[in-house]
Amino acid sequence: MNFPENFYWGGATAANQYEGGWNLGGRGPALTDFTTGGSARTNRYLTYFDENGEPQKTRTSIVSSGIPKNAKLAVFEDEYYPNHTGADFYHRYKEDIALFKEMGMNMFRMSISWSRIYPLGIEEEPNKEGLAFYRNVFEELKKNGIEPLVTISHYDDPAYIATEIGWEDPKTIELYFKFAKTVMDEYHDLVKYWLTFNEINSLLMSSAFVPDYPQEKTRLSYIQLHNKFVASAKAVKYAHETYPQFVMGCMIAGLVNYPFTCDPKDILAAQQKMQNYFWYCGDVQARGKYPSCSKKIWTEYGLDPQFFDKDAQLLKEGKADLFTFSYYNTTCVTTHKDVAKDGAGNLSMGAKNPYIHYSDWGWGVDADGLRYILNEIEDRYSLPIMIVENGLGAHDVLEDGHVHDPYRIEYFKCHIKAMDDALRDGVNLIGYTPWGIVDLVSASTGEMAKRYGVIYVDLDDEGKGTFKRYKKDSFEYYANVIRTNGKEYE
């Protein structure tokens, strides 16, 4: 087996889905605090009062949310907001970290809630209670021999910034930088590994997935994305100049597209999707410059190249040291009509691949695709790589204090084998933190039923439950993988 001795085995979470304590400790509201629960079959909504004071809801998702101008976000008594409690890490972090240690984890990926540090996002001074909470968490991790991998921004913008300013406004760059600088300065003695944004290419997901997505919205997404690139580069440059021990990473959503047929038009269409939604972002973050396809994209959406070119030097100076990405599935791209679609659950992505099987939420399980994209990333960027999200969302059943999840173990087996094969190929893979190591709220649907964890949380889709933790069968499996450093994954 090829896993190096210092390989990072861990798990991943995000504050807005896991932490809870939404109105405790001086925390302000984040945009996700106003989103209701949903399911694979129903929509998730953002709730607000319109300009006439009438209660309203609008469809929302991890990639596209918003309310009409002059409307005010609101929490309604007859709605359930699962992010308010998450899985209650806010009160149970010591318990969870003890389970991480028992499992053998040596890395824990988590995020810092921006509005716990700056409640509105515009304050001059940070919230001291928020700073103290995360210091306590990081100290507990260190005490248990677990390295934190910290995402500075993980779909968790303060509600005020999201609704009153927005990433299209350059002001948000400076507000983000103040937040990033604050937490890096505060925890420089406890945190070495940082990711500036989670799945920074998520702004383009609607364009990738939604047929006939409005061109003007896509145009705005490229402007917002550029401002995020600039914000990331400022943070990375500051870290390199101030804390040379830091390892600064990018994080890209692993959108892997295959041509559905050997029709050259399908091959070109798949290549274009990879360029537009994956390499476009990876190149800026890891190479420090926009790829050759960018000018074509800007022209298509009527964007001025000077808007992007003016920050070329900063992007070059703010390149990432580490390439991290999420990987859940692959999809097929075709120019042919009348083909079966995948994503039958909550994301419709492309043509259904007859050579792989699909999860309960219609996501294609494709471990070979992981090996494929690892090799592509290695050859393109020559940076250390981490897979910081990967996992199977499934319906788990708690019976007599036990959860038997052989389907998740099989998922782990084939993906860890793909990692092992990629290491044999020469890929510089240094870490693996599967998603939702503890059951948490689904970002896309707001439900608990879509469970990823190896640790079960007693909580249902209506917010009922004890929050008690139970070790699934996959907990023992993953613990053995870690204990043997990947030698016993089969």
Side-chain angles (χ1 to χ4, degrees):
M1 303 305 170
N2 289 271
F3 291 96
E5 289 185 12
N6 58 350
F7 193 83
Y8 284 113
W9 296 99
T13 61
N16 67 91
Q17 297 165 253
Y18 177 50
E19 190 173 283
W22 79 290
N23 58 356
L24 301 177
R27 182 183 180 276
L31 189 63
T32 49
D33 293 324
F34 300 93
T35 50
T36 65
S39 74
R41 293 160 299 282
T42 62
N43 293 319
R44 197 173 191 198
Y45 292 97
L46 189 78
T47 56
Y48 64 96
F49 289 112
D50 65 18
E51 57 186 349
N52 298 316
E54 296 296 323
Q56 302 290 337
K57 298 193 295 185
T58 186
R59 284 184 61 182
T60 185
S61 73
I62 60 170
V63 295
S64 178
S65 57
I67 59 174
K69 289 183 178 180
N70 303 317
K72 298 297 180 184
L73 294 170
V75 171
F76 302 139
E77 291 184 2
D78 60 343
E79 296 285 353
Y80 172 52
Y81 300 87
N83 297 77
H84 287 187
T85 59
D88 198 28
F89 181 71
Y90 188 75
H91 294 108
R92 298 169 181 267
Y93 69 89
K94 289 187 178 182
E95 176 186 354
D96 286 354
I97 291 170
L99 286 168
F100 300 160
K101 181 180 181 181
E102 180 183 345
M103 202 187 316
M105 283 170 45
N106 58 2
M107 177 166 277
F108 174 50
R109 182 187 172 214
M110 56 174 284
S111 69
I112 294 176
S113 173
W114 188 343
S115 58
R116 195 174 292 285
I117 306 303
Y118 289 100
L120 295 177
I122 59 174
E123 293 85 355
E124 290 299 320
E125 297 297 325
N127 171 31
K128 291 182 179 179
E129 285 186 82
L131 292 175
F133 168 72
Y134 290 112
R135 176 163 287 277
N136 290 338
V137 171
F138 295 141
E139 288 178 346
E140 190 71 13
L141 287 167
K142 287 291 187 182
K143 187 169 71 175
N144 286 277
I146 300 170
E147 189 79 42
L149 170 62
V150 176
T151 311
I152 297 172
S153 176
H154 191 133
Y155 299 149
D156 204 20
D157 291 353
Y160 181 85
I161 289 179
T163 58
E164 301 295 329
I165 305 174
W167 274 103
E168 61 272 23
D169 191 327
K171 291 178 187 175
T172 307
I173 297 173
E174 298 307 318
L175 294 172
Y176 170 88
F177 179 68
K178 178 177 64 176
F179 166 51
K181 182 177 181 297
T182 296
V183 295
M184 288 190 290
D185 289 345
E186 179 71 20
Y187 307 121
H188 71 273
D189 57 330
L190 291 168
V191 180
K192 176 181 178 181
Y193 291 94
W194 300 86
L195 307 178
T196 53
F197 286 93
N198 179 68
E199 295 184 331
I200 199 166
N201 54 337
S202 64
L203 279 167
L204 304 177
M205 284 182 178
S206 290
S207 300
F209 299 155
V210 179
D212 302 317
Y213 190 72
Q215 183 159 335
E216 184 53 38
K217 285 192 175 183
T218 301
R219 183 180 185 277
L220 180 62
S221 294
Y222 279 107
I223 294 170
Q224 294 169 327
L225 181 58
H226 178 76
N227 287 337
K228 284 193 173 186
F229 286 150
V230 173
S232 175
K234 282 177 68 74
V236 171
K237 182 181 179 183
Y238 175 77
H240 286 165
E241 293 172 348
T242 312
Y243 304 109
Q245 76 274 22
F246 282 4
V247 178
M248 303 299 295
C250 63
M251 200 294 207
I252 313 291
L255 305 179
V256 182
N257 295 280
Y258 301 145
F260 185 60
T261 73
C262 55
D263 181 344
K265 288 184 172 56
D266 280 6
I267 294 169
L268 287 170
Q271 180 186 59
Q272 183 176 334
K273 275 217 166 183
M274 289 296 291
Q275 288 175 334
N276 288 15
Y277 306 122
F278 190 76
W279 302 126
Y280 180 91
C281 298
D283 281 9
V284 175
Q285 300 263 272
R287 287 178 167 175
K289 62 179 182 179
Y290 280 101
S292 57
C293 65
S294 59
K295 288 182 172 56
K296 178 188 69 175
I297 295 170
W298 301 336
T299 299
E300 180 182 352
Y301 292 103
L303 294 162
D304 183 358
Q306 291 186 353
F307 172 78
F308 303 92
D309 293 341
K310 71 181 186 303
D311 299 301
Q313 184 60 33
L314 177 57
L315 296 180
K316 184 177 180 180
E317 293 170 347
K319 291 187 295 185
D321 310 308
L322 170 71
F323 192 101
T324 82
F325 70 106
S326 59
Y327 181 85
Y328 294 101
N329 58 347
T330 57
T331 192
C332 296
V333 180
T334 185
T335 58
H336 297 241
K337 297 180 180 179
D338 300 322
V339 297
K341 299 291 185 181
D342 66 9
N346 60 296
L347 285 177
S348 180
M349 301 179 70
K352 193 167 186 177
N353 189 335
Y355 298 99
I356 62 177
H357 72 273
Y358 287 80
S359 74
D360 292 339
W361 276 263
W363 291 27
V365 178
D366 179 12
D368 290 329
L370 178 58
R371 180 182 180 183
Y372 161 75
I373 197 61
L374 281 169
N375 275 272
E376 292 290 298
I377 293 167
E378 172 67 33
D379 290 344
R380 193 174 182 103
Y381 301 124
S382 298
L383 287 176
I385 302 168
M386 286 188 189
I387 304 159
V388 294
E389 289 186 28
N390 172 244
L392 177 69
H395 292 283
D396 294 332
V397 178
L398 179 67
E399 295 179 316
D400 299 324
H402 299 282
V403 176
H404 303 299
D405 56 344
Y407 39 85
R408 185 168 289 109
I409 292 172
E410 289 303 312
Y411 184 96
F412 273 128
K413 284 181 180 179
C414 64
H415 285 81
I416 294 172
K417 181 183 185 302
M419 290 158 49
D420 187 37
D421 290 339
L423 285 162
R424 294 176 191 273
D425 294 336
V427 173
N428 185 18
L429 180 64
I430 66 169
Y432 177 59
T433 61
W435 175 248
I437 199 71
V438 181
D439 288 345
L440 39 67
V441 175
S442 169
S444 53
T445 64
E447 59 191 329
M448 283 297 294
K450 186 181 183 183
R451 297 178 182 271
Y452 284 88
V454 302
I455 298 168
Y456 184 94
V457 176
D458 180 27
L459 185 68
D460 67 15
D461 289 345
E462 297 177 348
K464 299 174 183 176
T466 64
F467 289 94
K468 185 176 179 180
R469 274 57 169 158
Y470 296 88
K471 292 181 285 187
K472 304 177 188 179
D473 289 353
S474 56
F475 180 102
E476 302 300 339
Y477 165 81
Y478 190 44
N480 188 57
V481 169
I482 297 173
R483 185 165 51 249
T484 62
N485 195 31
K487 290 183 173 63
E488 296 182 11
Y489 66 77
E490 295 183 298

